[in-house]
Amino acid sequence: MPATADTARVMDAVYRNQRHFYDLTRKYYLLGRDLLIERLEPEDGASVLELGCGTGRNLIAAARRHPNVRFYGIDISSEMLETATANVARAGLADRIKLAKGDASDTSAPSVFGEGAFDRVFYSYTLSMIPVWREALQTGAGVLAEGGRILVVDFGQQERLPGWFRALLHAWLAKFHVTPRAGLDAELTDLAAAEGLQKRFLALYRGYAVYAELGADGASLYSPATK
């Protein structure tokens, strides 16, 4: 079931003040976001949806990289959307980046844009903050265009990092209602099978973060050996 209004209130409370310096601090530990933006690779005229767009940082970076692509972002936090709207306007990209308040776990949320389907759908450090994160993945799969790609980057399980580091990180993340999803790999495997997609799932930075792609053509999915 979709997240409740309580989730929106929690997110607004978390980000009411943090949104003003969010991008300055998060660049040091939200690792792998730039890899995801690089891997979007939309063709001219394509449409790209970010579920959980936050301050709009990723959408702005991607829109600058792809001037002939339309971008859309949904976030449940009014506070974050206020900052995202201001950032997009400041970047001069309001004509190509459209934002809306919505619940990523509500499969009807993307319909607000009237697009029908999106060539790319991505999640950047979002699933670890959405209580019903599996439903959020279903939302993305439900609006993915034929031949499209789903991309995910988020916190991993830090399996190759010292135990003390894992304990401190998880305790710190919990203060911000962030929970690294231990079942993400398995869930993406099931989603790929259900949607007839192929999956690539990678641990980055000794498991600090994970990166995944789902797409129709396995040969087009990211492989470090080909970079």
Side-chain angles (χ1 to χ4, degrees):
M1 66 186 302
T4 65
D6 287 339
T7 302
R9 285 193 289 270
V10 168
M11 292 298 98
D12 280 343
V14 168
Y15 292 120
R16 185 163 292 117
N17 295 315
Q18 285 193 49
R19 64 191 173 96
H20 299 296
F21 51 86
Y22 184 92
D23 290 329
L24 290 175
T25 58
R26 266 53 175 187
K27 66 181 180 180
Y28 297 110
Y29 59 86
L30 297 188
L31 307 178
R33 294 185 298 172
D34 291 337
L35 169 62
L36 185 151
I37 292 170
E38 176 187 344
R39 286 292 303 162
L40 285 173
E41 300 178 335
E43 297 181 358
D44 286 355
S47 59
V48 176
L49 172 66
E50 181 176 14
L51 289 169
C53 63
T55 63
R57 179 264 187 192
N58 298 320
L59 291 171
I60 291 169
R64 286 172 171 162
R65 190 182 184 102
H66 302 286
N68 299 310
V69 173
R70 305 180 310 280
F71 291 89
Y72 302 88
I74 286 176
D75 204 281
I76 200 170
S77 169
S78 298
E79 299 286 346
M80 280 300 224
L81 280 175
E82 181 180 336
T83 294
T85 300
N87 288 343
V88 168
R90 190 178 303 113
L93 293 167
D95 59 330
R96 289 197 297 113
I97 300 177
K98 305 302 180 185
L99 305 172
K101 182 176 181 178
D103 176 358
S105 63
D106 179 355
T107 56
S108 68
S111 65
V112 68
F113 298 119
E115 277 291 310
F118 299 86
D119 300 289
R120 300 288 185 270
V121 177
F122 71 95
Y123 307 79
S124 175
Y125 286 91
T126 298
L127 297 174
S128 55
M129 298 198 72
I130 300 176
V132 283
W133 59 276
R134 292 178 175 85
E135 287 83 344
L137 284 171
Q138 291 294 332
T139 296
V143 295
L144 187 67
E146 184 176 356
R149 189 186 302 163
I150 294 174
L151 305 94
V152 178
V153 66
D154 215 315
F155 289 106
Q157 297 301 303
Q158 300 91 44
E159 64 275 4
R160 294 174 57 204
L161 292 169
W164 64 263
F165 179 88
R166 292 198 303 272
L168 286 176
L169 179 62
H170 282 244
W172 183 76
L173 292 176
K175 296 179 183 293
F176 302 100
H177 304 274
V178 176
T179 304
R181 304 304 181 188
L184 181 58
D185 189 7
E187 190 67 25
L188 289 174
T189 296
D190 292 344
L191 182 62
E195 299 295 330
L197 302 173
Q198 297 189 49
K199 183 202 79 172
R200 187 152 291 145
F201 188 93
L202 302 170
L204 305 176
Y205 312 107
R206 300 178 67 187
Y208 176 90
V210 291
Y211 175 77
E213 292 182 13
L214 275 65
D217 181 3
S220 72
L221 298 183
Y222 176 70
S223 173
T226 66
K227 296 298 289 181

